[in-house]
Amino acid sequence: MKTKIALLRHMHAERPYGTSKPIEIAEAELSPPQSGEMLIKMAAAGLCHSDLSVINGDRPRDMPVALGHEASAIVQEVGPNVTRFQPGDHIVLVFAPSCGHCLPCAEGRPALCVPGAVAAGKGSLIGGTKHISHDGQTVNHHVGVSAFSTYAVVSEASCVKIDKDIPLDKAALLGCAVLTGVGAVLNSGDLKTGQSCAVVGLGGVGLAGLLGAIAAGARTIVAVDLAKDKRDFALELGATHAIDPSEEGAIEKVKEITGGGVDLAVELAGAVPALKFAYDITRRGGTTVTAGLPNPAAELKIPAVSLTVDERALKGSYVGSCVPVRDIPRFAQMMVQGQLPIEKLVTHRLKLDEINEGFERLAAGNAIRQIIEFD
């Protein structure tokens, strides 16, 4: 069948993207679902820095690729051996599929699924199949999802069913911004009621993490970003303090506010200076969590002895250390109850053919979360 896709042929396009238009909205061929796979119709998809990092070359992928990884959809058709879904189901897409059998999956850490990571690197679904072609050329899937498409074929391992009364535009953000940001705070950071927390980097994922800290009942919540408008917005959402990390004495100011540093600092900017700042404002005995995705060549330099004498913990967090089949319904319920008002993070709503302008807006720092709404 035919589908429209956001086709990226080459990385490292010049900005502004609204002029260079690195993404082509192309009509492609989509082959039928195979064993364990489903045909889905996309409902809404969010624009994320993880997509932008493919466009600008920070996170290289094999070209050409059909972009997009954060979305909600409706199941249209199920292939053989699909056991958990049926046509008409509403789903959230997960960009880290889990096989359920490898060691990380067996340990309850599906975000680290080995076959899922291998498939993402190859541009295929977790079963090894590829379903998209354009002008006779095979097109790679982006992390098994390719969400900027009108229709897609996905593995059922990349999907979580949600209640049909949950608005699909809100549900789209559950697949990345909420899983990563809220999960980094609640799962990886294990933030407790009454503790202090800093969120470094106030994009869509960072502000989702901020909402998670508020929902957890943190006593002090320090929002950190270079951009004043984002710091001001964080205060509107419920942060108790906002800090510009470039100001002289910023680290000391956080320590003064918190009595020696925060219990938990979560870095969600995807930049080494942000991670260093997060580490430096963490108290003795505290935890620093990073869920950002810097350039693979970037390195962090810290005093090694501080890990010992301060009993510090520095942790990585991928997909918020989430178990999607557990956490997406959990976070969705928190959203419905008003504990995670993630709709406040949506600054722009787009059509698919406005995607280049959307990514320029994201690259320029002029948006938080933008959502493509499909018909």
Side-chain angles (χ1 to χ4, degrees):
M1 64 173 292
K2 302 288 187 182
T3 181
K4 287 185 178 180
I5 63 172
L7 180 64
L8 182 69
R9 299 179 186 273
H10 305 285
M11 295 176 286
H12 307 292
E14 293 185 359
R15 292 181 55 198
Y17 297 136
T19 301
S20 62
K21 296 191 181 302
I23 299 172
E24 173 189 350
I25 304 304
E27 187 173 80
E29 292 287 342
L30 192 62
S31 62
Q34 303 301 307
S35 178
E37 299 173 350
M38 308 188 299
L39 172 68
I40 61 172
K41 181 179 182 181
M42 224 60 74
L47 274 63
C48 177
H49 272 91
S50 295
D51 304 298
L52 180 60
S53 66
V54 178
I55 297 169
N56 66 22
D58 281 347
R59 304 291 295 180
R61 297 284 179 185
D62 289 341
M63 298 288 116
V65 62
L67 283 177
H69 72 282
E70 176 187 79
S72 59
I74 301 173
V75 177
Q76 303 295 296
E77 175 188 338
V78 299
N81 302 314
V82 171
T83 59
R84 296 184 291 117
F85 302 92
Q86 59 185 7
D89 284 346
H90 289 194
I91 59 171
V92 169
L93 280 300
V94 179
F95 64 89
S98 54
C99 69
H101 305 294
C102 68
L103 181 59
C105 286
E107 292 176 334
R109 306 176 75 183
L112 303 182
C113 174
V114 176
V118 170
K122 292 181 176 179
S124 71
L125 304 191
I126 193 171
T129 57
K130 295 185 180 182
H131 291 271
I132 310 168
S133 63
H134 176 67
D135 287 344
Q137 182 182 20
T138 299
V139 176
N140 292 294
H141 297 259
H142 186 208
V143 289
V145 177
S146 293
F148 302 143
S149 307
T150 51
Y151 292 88
V153 171
V154 298
S155 167
E156 69 171 335
S158 296
C159 306
V160 174
K161 184 178 177 180
I162 59 170
D163 292 339
K164 291 183 178 179
D165 59 353
I166 298 174
L168 285 166
D169 58 338
K170 295 182 183 180
L173 302 186
L174 293 169
C176 177
V178 174
L179 273 186
T180 302
V182 179
V185 171
L186 301 187
N187 293 338
S188 311
D190 194 24
L191 182 65
K192 300 291 194 301
T193 301
Q195 288 186 321
S196 58
C197 178
V199 177
V200 182
L202 303 176
V205 178
L207 288 169
L210 181 79
L211 294 177
I214 295 168
R219 177 185 77 254
T220 304
I221 302 173
V222 183
V224 181
D225 201 281
L226 295 169
K228 184 179 185 304
D229 59 336
K230 292 182 179 179
R231 298 196 303 271
D232 290 344
F233 185 50
L235 291 170
E236 292 178 19
L237 289 175
T240 59
H241 302 80
I243 297 291
D244 180 349
S246 68
E247 288 188 355
E248 185 176 352
I251 293 172
E252 290 71 23
K253 187 172 182 180
V254 175
K255 290 184 176 181
E256 181 182 350
I257 291 168
T258 56
V262 294
D263 296 299
L264 172 66
V266 181
E267 181 273 317
L268 292 159
V272 170
L275 177 54
K276 183 64 165 60
F277 187 89
Y279 187 80
D280 289 343
I281 62 173
T282 303
R283 70 169 179 85
R284 298 188 72 194
T287 300
T288 308
V289 170
T290 174
L293 290 173
N295 187 291
E299 296 184 352
L300 172 69
K301 184 178 180 180
I302 60 172
V305 71
S306 65
L307 292 168
T308 302
V309 299
D310 292 339
E311 286 198 358
R312 303 274 290 279
L314 176 59
K315 298 177 64 177
S317 173
Y318 189 55
V319 200
S321 302
C322 285
V323 179
V325 294
R326 175 197 69 193
D327 288 326
I328 285 179
R330 168 191 174 201
F331 295 155
Q333 188 60 32
M334 293 173 68
M335 180 182 71
V336 169
Q337 294 175 346
Q339 296 174 290
L340 289 176
I342 59 175
E343 68 278 358
K344 294 181 179 180
L345 308 186
V346 179
T347 55
H348 300 80
R349 294 176 183 270
L350 317 173
K351 296 298 182 183
L352 184 59
D353 60 7
E354 298 173 309
I355 193 168
N356 286 297
E357 291 77 10
F359 274 114
E360 175 56 32
R361 198 178 290 118
L362 184 62
N366 296 327
I368 297 174
R369 223 31 167 205
Q370 303 173 85
I371 291 180
I372 294 174
E373 295 180 304
F374 296 87
D375 293 333

